[in-house]
Amino acid sequence: MSLNFEEVRLRLPHIELAAHVYGPEDGRPVIALHGWLDNAASFARLAPLLPGLRIVALDFAGHGHSDHRPPGSSYAIWDYAHDVLQVAEQFGWQRFSLLGHSMGAIVSVLLAAAMPERVERLALIDGLIPYTGEADSSPQKLGEALKAQLALADKSKPVYAEFSRAVEARMRGVGAVSREAAELLAQRGLMPVPGGYTWRTDSSLTLPSPLRLTHAHALAFVGGLQCPTKLLLAQQGMLLAQSSISQLLEGLAIEAVQLPGGHHLHLDDDQGAMLVADCFKAFLGAP
């Protein structure tokens, strides 16, 4: 596995983000977006297998080495879309493609539907629409979120005496991953503290959402996509576990492909990364 990338920090008007940059400066522009509580290392196996592309693999705000949002701010999914657009502005990219995994795929869909003139292609890995909520549940959901915000100050992050303990915890986390994948994510996602290691991620990321898009909202975004879109469904992943995914994809101009592997099939092992790369190379314009 090649780790030939450049570590950069991007000073945006409202926040500073970190990223790994792969490929030649004149390569076709791609912004790669990871999943919830992951980081730019999510693309450590895949990005080197997509030659000829200029891939900027971001650490989302609050993740990895990127800044946290100010206290009291939220991590609404549409705010990530704004961050990505600002990254494209910094690179001077009027047109670019998006490579998104899980939450990063959802952010990609929102941005592509909202700004079709900016997004050339969408390459999605086991992610499409966010968890939704209907209007009648909104008061309850907001109340739960407000109570969780009040309780956040009394919570502390877990501290692992050894790096390996943190790796094992990540293996069992949301979207369980292989040991090698967990090690890659942990190398970028951990920081030393008294007594061992803890995660760099902002604790606010674990708060419940105060407001969710309705199912109708979500359908409007996927139905409004104008660019070519390719979705990889992991056979042991999260999307195929949802009984509604087949019905959702009916009538949409989205090319869906099933591949063996779990939710992090692009990161778990070399074979999975190669399968994903083979599906996306021609689609994203890699030679």
Side-chain angles (χ1 to χ4, degrees):
M1 178 178 60
S2 170
L3 295 178
N4 186 20
F5 59 80
E6 178 186 1
E7 177 85 39
V8 300
R9 294 199 66 81
L10 306 169
R11 294 181 180 273
L12 308 183
H14 62 297
I15 198 169
E16 186 169 303
L17 302 182
H20 288 167
V21 181
Y22 298 83
E25 290 187 14
D26 61 351
R28 298 189 69 164
V30 177
I31 301 177
L33 306 175
H34 63 77
W36 180 62
L37 301 184
D38 287 345
N39 53 60
S42 179
F43 299 98
R45 289 187 190 273
L46 179 59
L49 300 177
L50 298 170
L53 303 178
R54 184 67 164 174
I55 299 176
V56 176
L58 286 182
D59 284 336
F60 273 132
H63 296 73
H65 289 257
S66 287
D67 285 352
H68 296 184
R69 299 205 193 280
S73 300
S74 66
Y75 286 92
I77 199 163
W78 40 83
D79 291 330
Y80 289 127
H82 174 247
D83 295 342
V84 175
L85 195 59
Q86 288 287 358
V87 169
E89 290 287 295
Q90 182 151 126
F91 279 91
W93 293 347
Q94 286 304 302
R95 293 276 288 172
F96 53 92
S97 295
L98 292 168
L99 169 60
H101 170 244
S102 195
M103 184 183 79
I106 297 166
V107 173
S108 298
V109 169
L110 296 187
L111 179 55
M115 303 286 287
E117 71 278 11
R118 300 297 298 271
V119 181
E120 186 174 2
R121 288 175 176 268
L122 279 186
L124 310 176
I125 304 171
D126 218 42
L128 186 62
I129 65 171
Y131 290 112
T132 57
E134 298 310 309
D136 58 358
S137 66
S138 296
Q140 175 189 348
K141 293 297 183 183
L142 178 57
E144 292 171 355
L146 291 173
K147 291 174 184 176
Q149 289 172 353
L150 289 175
L152 185 63
D154 296 326
K155 291 186 176 180
S156 58
K157 293 182 181 180
V159 175
Y160 305 94
E162 300 172 356
F163 179 86
S164 61
R165 298 283 182 87
V167 168
E168 290 166 0
R170 181 61 192 89
M171 290 172 65
R172 300 188 300 269
V174 177
V177 297
S178 69
R179 178 172 292 277
E180 288 187 2
E183 287 175 349
L184 287 167
L185 293 171
Q187 285 165 7
R188 186 164 183 81
L190 289 174
M191 62 181 181
V193 293
Y197 302 89
T198 195
W199 301 105
R200 295 179 181 272
T201 46
D202 190 339
S203 297
S204 297
L205 290 166
T206 62
L207 292 173
S209 300
L211 183 67
R212 285 181 172 175
L213 298 179
T214 66
H215 190 65
H217 281 129
L219 291 180
F221 279 100
V222 292
L225 293 173
Q226 298 180 28
C227 64
T229 302
K230 191 166 188 176
L231 169 64
L232 299 188
L233 298 161
Q235 291 177 353
Q236 289 78 47
M238 292 186 174
L239 280 188
L240 284 178
Q242 302 174 18
S243 59
S244 60
I245 186 62
S246 296
Q247 182 179 358
L248 176 62
L249 291 172
E250 286 181 7
L252 295 177
I254 295 176
E255 180 185 359
V257 178
Q258 291 190 31
L259 289 178
H263 185 56
H264 288 75
L265 74 164
H266 64 298
L267 182 64
D268 278 333
D269 54 45
D270 288 339
Q271 181 180 4
M274 290 178 66
L275 288 174
V276 174
D278 288 344
C279 282
F280 282 153
K281 274 181 184 177
F283 179 76
L284 290 172

